Amino acid sequence: MTLSITISQQIKAYNLAACPTLPEFLETAYKTQKSLKKNEQFRKRIEVIQGFEFNTASTQIEESKDQQYIVAAGLYAPSIKIFETSQLSMKCSRGLDSEIVKFCLLGDDYKKIAMVCEDRNIELHAQYGKHFKLRVPKQPTDMIYNPYNCNLLVSSQNEDITRLNLELGSFVESYNIQQETGVNCLSMHDQLQLGFVGGNKQLSIIDFRSDQIVQQLGVNDVTSIATQNLQVALGTKEGQIKLFDLRKHIPIHIYQHQYRLPIKKIVMNDDMIVSCDAKILKFWQGNRLFTNIEPQSEINSFTWVKNSGMFLLALEQPRMGIYFIPQLNAAPKWCPFLDNLTEEMEEEEQQTVYDEYKFLSYEELERLDALHLLETAMLKPYSHGYLIHLKLYLKLRQQKGLDFEDYKQKRIQQNYEKQLEAERVTKGYVIPEVPEIEQPVKQIDPRFSKLLKDNDFTVDKKSEAWKRAHPSEVKVKKQINKNKR
């Protein structure tokens, strides 16, 4: 079984939707006139959910609270699809007249859905399909549902937030946020019954029990909001995530996306914060980066499958993304086979070959003046350093002038070796024989006098044992005798 694996910060993320779709396989087989029975990629493909795709792209994806259904919106043509996790396949698909801006699941399953569309219409769907349709006065930007009073809140590019009471079946008095530039995003804190309204100038907090604005924070260009306990995370247009405590006016921590694109969605789960912009999905744990996922297509939205390490991505491509990170949590209860697959791949010894990449440490990057490439697609974190494409590495060396330095050092080494070769012995030299000096008997300790007279301790230079122990000296003597002739 083959899976596409991406490694960032030494954390493995398995891409379960990397292979082509079934229509793409059939189209390729038709063009090449080859049977799919011999296609190894087709035979070993993994399809977690059948038909998990749209014609062009997907814009939003959510999981129901009971974890039995996955609802996704996409185009083109505008439609909404409902997938049943127990069957790992699509349950139904519903067409719409206009592109969906935002949809909300009003219950624990798929039976009640509210959708606000680009044509300023709100569509209410029941289990059997479309139930009712009505029009809002302004162009919508976001929508949330308050289950405590059955109010559906729709923001727009003006200072009013439209309220539709689903129990009464009519509009009620709107909220006036006093933001001339309009509202970008909405969010709700379920435990505290607080509504968060993010605009271009400030963040407003509404108490739904009194319908009054209780707090305002001077945070500009808020594009996404997430809440947990007494904390709120705000995403901005500059690619920042500002983490606030509701009791303070200054952020606890600020996280930065390297692409500096608007933050599209934030999810908070215990000590983990997951945020995404159009290019990358980042995971923050505490004050450090845990890992990231960077698909090939643009990201529109994502959802974290409850109590698991699986992430579903709405992308600017026909197929929706499915990523699994075992180090975060186990596989969802509706596809436990993923745990076995990843364990088998961990046991297999796989050797990754990077023929077109060069490994560099942080010090080598600093030497090449390439620190500005950190956290970009040009550098891949690997082990204790980074992988850089060989062509880019050679170009950086050429700009830095390191190629000439290597050439100079190589020439110096070659000249040195030639000089040593010239100085080697090419003809024999006569080594004068040094006569042995007899030591006076009076200098020898009388205790060792018998040792010098013992034949067992004499050295015979003509013996084979002595010649094997001193081969170099024997070779020199042969050369001397040859020169004498």
Side-chain angles (χ1 to χ4, degrees):
M1 189 67 63
T2 57
L3 288 175
S4 177
I5 304 175
T6 58
I7 301 177
S8 178
Q9 304 293 326
Q10 299 182 358
I11 304 296
K12 289 184 178 179
Y14 294 85
N15 186 0
L16 306 178
C19 67
T21 61
L22 182 59
E24 291 174 343
F25 274 120
L26 295 174
E27 183 180 0
T28 303
Y30 177 76
K31 290 181 179 179
T32 57
Q33 297 295 320
K34 293 182 180 179
S35 175
L36 291 177
K37 294 181 180 179
K38 300 179 180 179
N39 192 326
E40 195 72 15
Q41 187 181 12
F42 176 76
R43 291 175 59 247
K44 292 186 176 183
R45 76 190 189 281
I46 295 177
E47 197 167 3
V48 178
I49 302 175
Q50 294 183 4
F52 204 59
E53 60 196 34
F54 286 91
N55 292 334
T56 305
S58 51
T59 57
Q60 186 185 351
I61 185 168
E62 299 292 340
E63 182 193 27
S64 62
K65 292 182 180 180
D66 60 2
Q67 294 187 274
Q68 297 297 317
Y69 304 95
I70 295 172
V71 183
L75 42 96
Y76 187 79
S79 61
I80 188 167
K81 292 185 177 182
I82 302 171
F83 300 90
E84 192 170 1
T85 55
S86 60
Q87 303 297 323
L88 296 180
S89 61
M90 186 174 67
K91 182 177 181 65
C92 65
S93 176
R94 301 173 182 175
L96 297 115
D97 298 329
S98 180
E99 181 181 345
I100 297 176
V101 176
K102 182 74 177 289
F103 71 80
C104 294
L105 301 178
L106 306 182
D108 293 339
D109 50 20
Y110 77 98
K111 296 178 182 179
K112 296 178 182 179
I113 306 175
M115 293 168 280
V116 60
C117 303
E118 288 282 355
D119 59 358
R120 293 167 45 197
N121 282 323
I122 294 178
E123 288 195 16
L124 300 175
H125 282 225
Q127 184 177 4
Y128 51 82
K130 184 186 295 186
H131 175 73
F132 193 71
K133 184 177 181 179
L134 72 163
R135 194 173 179 85
V136 292
K138 300 291 183 179
Q139 186 68 29
T141 57
D142 201 355
M143 180 178 66
I144 58 172
Y145 175 65
N146 185 357
Y148 298 101
N149 54 18
C150 297
N151 278 346
L152 198 65
L153 280 69
V154 181
S155 63
S156 59
Q157 293 294 341
N158 69 345
E159 57 187 11
D160 292 332
I161 296 178
T162 305
R163 289 195 296 169
L164 174 63
N165 190 286
L166 299 181
E167 184 180 10
L168 300 175
S170 63
F171 291 102
V172 294
E173 185 180 357
S174 301
Y175 290 123
N176 192 305
I177 307 302
Q178 298 177 357
Q179 292 197 31
E180 297 178 357
T181 56
V183 177
N184 296 327
C185 57
L186 297 173
S187 181
M188 178 179 172
H189 199 300
D190 295 332
Q191 290 80 18
L192 302 178
Q193 294 191 36
L194 295 177
F196 295 84
V197 182
N200 294 326
K201 298 296 182 182
Q202 62 186 7
L203 173 78
S204 302
I205 303 177
I206 303 174
D207 189 347
F208 287 137
R209 293 168 295 185
S210 62
D211 290 339
Q212 299 294 325
I213 297 176
V214 295
Q215 187 62 270
Q216 288 183 337
L217 294 176
V219 183
N220 298 331
D221 299 327
V222 179
T223 58
S224 58
I225 306 171
T227 59
Q228 179 182 246
N229 300 330
L230 293 177
Q231 293 183 343
V232 56
L234 308 177
T236 66
K237 288 183 179 179
E238 291 77 21
Q240 289 184 340
I241 299 99
K242 297 182 179 181
L243 183 63
F244 284 86
D245 190 299
L246 292 176
R247 298 162 292 185
K248 297 182 180 179
H249 290 269
I250 58 175
I252 303 172
H253 195 79
I254 298 177
Y255 305 96
Q256 179 67 62
H257 279 224
Q258 71 268 25
Y259 293 114
R260 301 186 180 277
L261 297 173
I263 303 299
K264 293 191 173 184
K265 188 175 181 180
I266 304 174
V267 173
M268 301 177 68
N269 188 356
D270 296 333
D271 63 338
M272 183 73 68
I273 298 177
V274 186
S275 58
C276 81
D277 57 22
K279 288 191 175 182
I280 196 167
L281 183 71
K282 280 188 171 291
F283 300 78
W284 313 92
Q285 189 174 38
N287 295 332
R288 68 179 184 90
L289 177 65
F290 180 73
T291 186
N292 53 49
I293 295 174
E294 190 168 0
Q296 296 181 352
S297 301
E298 250 185 49
I299 304 174
N300 290 324
S301 183
F302 77 96
T303 187
W304 189 346
V305 178
K306 189 177 180 181
N307 299 326
S308 73
M310 178 178 287
F311 294 83
L312 307 176
L313 277 64
L315 304 172
E316 281 291 330
Q317 65 178 23
R319 192 163 197 176
M320 289 178 281
I322 305 176
Y323 287 86
F324 178 50
I325 303 178
Q327 289 182 254
L328 279 181
N329 211 332
K333 61 182 181 181
W334 42 268
C335 57
F337 57 87
L338 288 180
D339 289 326
N340 297 330
L341 288 178
T342 54
E343 286 175 5
E344 289 176 4
M345 293 195 65
E346 289 290 340
E347 293 175 359
E348 294 178 0
E349 294 183 0
Q350 296 185 354
Q351 183 179 4
T352 307
V353 181
Y354 297 98
D355 293 333
E356 298 180 355
Y357 288 86
K358 170 74 175 176
F359 177 81
L360 295 177
S361 64
Y362 183 87
E363 290 76 13
E364 290 173 328
L365 282 174
E366 190 174 9
R367 184 186 173 195
L368 291 170
D369 292 338
L371 294 180
H372 62 282
L373 299 178
L374 291 174
E375 294 189 5
T376 63
M378 297 181 181
L379 288 180
K380 296 183 179 180
Y382 182 79
S383 187
H384 59 280
Y386 304 89
L387 292 173
I388 187 173
H389 200 278
L390 192 57
K391 291 183 179 179
L392 179 58
Y393 169 71
L394 295 176
K395 187 175 181 180
L396 290 173
R397 287 183 60 88
Q398 186 177 4
Q399 291 179 352
K400 189 67 177 174
L402 296 178
D403 288 341
F404 176 73
E405 292 293 331
D406 287 351
Y407 172 76
K408 187 168 72 172
Q409 292 295 332
K410 195 177 293 184
R411 291 292 298 174
I412 291 173
Q413 183 66 21
Q414 290 177 354
N415 293 335
Y416 178 70
E417 291 178 356
K418 287 182 180 179
Q419 186 177 358
L420 288 179
E421 184 71 23
E423 291 178 357
R424 286 181 182 173
V425 179
T426 57
K427 54 184 179 179
Y429 294 91
V430 178
I431 301 176
E433 295 183 1
V434 180
E436 297 180 0
I437 302 175
E438 296 182 0
Q439 299 293 337
V441 180
K442 64 180 180 179
Q443 294 181 0
I444 301 175
D445 194 323
R447 292 175 297 178
F448 303 103
S449 59
K450 293 182 180 181
L451 182 65
L452 299 176
K453 297 178 181 180
D454 193 345
N455 293 331
D456 293 337
F457 292 93
T458 57
V459 178
D460 186 7
K461 294 186 177 182
K462 295 183 180 180
S463 64
E464 292 295 330
W466 187 89
K467 291 179 180 179
R468 286 195 299 269
H470 303 80
S472 59
E473 190 171 344
V474 174
K475 185 176 181 181
V476 170
K477 286 187 176 181
K478 288 183 179 180
Q479 185 69 25
I480 293 172
N481 296 333
K482 183 178 179 182
N483 293 335
K484 286 181 179 180
R485 297 174 186 174

